């Protein structure tokens, strides 16, 4: 079964750090571009970051550039999001999502269940 | 990286057709044929319904169709069913990012 499982969410104080993980199974992880997408409580979807299959191409939303770092370990079938200097507005459910192919643009066809990040003092 | 513009809500009766618009610019929707549409039920993860403007993934009913004209993409759902009630989001590729629309809540009356 094709599956993505996020972990690492939790409660963190403003200015703090958190590392999210996404474990992939049921497909050849190294062949696909991956994304992080977030959704603040009661709000819409917001794309956060993308990484190509070989990590050659990495993109960030302006709202997280310089604070978040996306990475992947194809040997471990895992995607990561290192989040530093967290702000209250980063509070959201964070989804890991697979692109249909090795580069972004073709649509995100597999999504995890999401992990919740709450930034509050 | 401005969000694409979608109507906040649309509604229709069972069996009817509805269309959700998604307006961007020549830097996103108008510049590429890489528009996707997602369905999200409350408390669930999004589901890809349309990719590359008008293509349906396997398993998505042919009641769902997509199109694009200029800077505006559209999702049409024909033969509305109760289970279609959900939030719908468009997204577009850009040269440096991916951008989503603000979302449209579809109510089946």
């Amino acid at each position: 079964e094709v599956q993505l499982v996020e972990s690492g969410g939790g409660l963190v104080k403003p200015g703090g750090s958190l590392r999210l993980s996404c474990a992939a199974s049921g497909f050849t992880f190294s062949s696909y571009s991956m994304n992080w997408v977030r959704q603040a409580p009661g709000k819409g979807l917001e794309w956060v970051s993308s990484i190509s299959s070989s990590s050659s191409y990495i993109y960030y939303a302006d709202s997280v550039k310089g604070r978040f770092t996306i990475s992947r370990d194809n040997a471990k079938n895992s995607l990561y999001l290192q989040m530093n200097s967290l702000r209250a507005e980063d509070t959201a459910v964070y989804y890991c999502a697979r692109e249909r192919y090795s580069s972004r643009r073709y649509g995100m066809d597999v999504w995890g269940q999401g992990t919740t990040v709450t930034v509050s003092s | 990286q401005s969000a694409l513009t979608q109507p906040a809500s649309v509604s229709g009766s069972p069996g009817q057709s509805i269309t959700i618009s998604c307006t961007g610019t020549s830097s996103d929707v108008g510049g590429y044929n890489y528009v996707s549409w997602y369905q999200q039920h409350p408390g669930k993860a999004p589901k890809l319904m349309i990719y590359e403007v008008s293509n349906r993934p396997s398993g998505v009913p042919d009641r769902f169709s997509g199109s694009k004209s200029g800077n505006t993409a559209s999702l049409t759902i024909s033969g509305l069913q109760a289970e279609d009630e959900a939030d719908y989001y468009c997204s577009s590729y850009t040269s440096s990012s991916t951008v989503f629309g603000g979302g449209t809540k579809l109510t089946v009356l």
Side-chain angles (χ1 to χ4, degrees):
Chain A
E1 179 192 5
V2 174
Q3 196 172 9
L4 297 171
V5 178
E6 302 94 335
S7 61
L11 174 64
V12 61
K13 289 181 168 54
S17 298
L18 213 53
R19 189 195 196 206
L20 305 184
S21 298
C22 172
S25 59
F27 64 98
T28 305
F29 180 70
S30 60
S31 296
Y32 294 87
S33 181
M34 297 296 296
N35 300 273
W36 287 101
V37 176
R38 68 185 181 183
Q39 187 168 34
K43 302 297 184 181
L45 302 175
E46 180 188 13
W47 171 80
V48 173
S49 183
S50 296
I51 185 169
S52 62
S53 57
S54 61
S55 303
S56 297
Y57 301 96
I58 289 175
Y59 304 88
Y60 297 100
D62 288 343
S63 58
V64 307
K65 202 172 293 183
R67 300 188 299 122
F68 290 12
T69 302
I70 191 172
S71 63
R72 64 190 296 163
D73 185 336
N74 288 342
K76 294 183 177 179
N77 293 331
S78 293
L79 175 72
Y80 306 102
L81 187 67
Q82 177 66 42
M83 304 186 296
N84 298 330
S85 303
L86 283 162
R87 307 166 179 166
E89 53 265 36
D90 296 318
T91 295
V93 174
Y94 285 74
Y95 293 101
C96 165
R98 185 187 84 170
E99 284 281 343
R100 293 180 57 249
Y101 295 114
S102 60
S103 62
R104 65 185 183 90
R105 79 185 66 186
Y106 298 110
M108 303 176 205
D109 65 341
V110 180
W111 293 67
Q113 84 289 350
T115 187
T116 300
V117 172
T118 303
V119 184
S120 175
S121 55
Chain B
Q1 296 180 352
S2 299
L4 306 175
T5 301
Q6 298 181 231
S9 63
V10 298
S11 62
S13 299
Q16 288 186 331
S17 295
I18 63 94
T19 296
I20 300 172
S21 61
C22 170
T23 301
T25 70
S26 58
S27 296
D28 38 63
V29 174
Y32 311 94
N33 287 323
Y34 296 123
V35 175
S36 301
W37 288 91
Y38 301 88
Q39 176 192 65
Q40 187 180 35
H41 287 108
K44 301 294 187 181
K47 175 185 177 183
L48 179 65
M49 304 302 285
I50 296 288
Y51 64 90
E52 295 176 55
V53 175
S54 59
N55 296 287
R56 281 187 314 277
S58 174
V60 172
D62 59 7
R63 303 184 294 103
F64 291 83
S65 63
S67 62
K68 192 187 85 166
S69 177
N71 295 337
T72 299
S74 299
L75 172 70
T76 298
I77 309 173
S78 58
L80 268 179
Q81 299 183 3
E83 59 262 36
D84 298 335
E85 185 163 294
D87 293 325
Y88 291 84
Y89 296 90
C90 62
S91 79
S92 176
Y93 165 88
T94 83
S95 61
S96 61
S97 70
T98 296
V99 61
F100 280 95
T104 298
K105 181 175 180 59
L106 168 62
T107 300
V108 180
L109 302 170

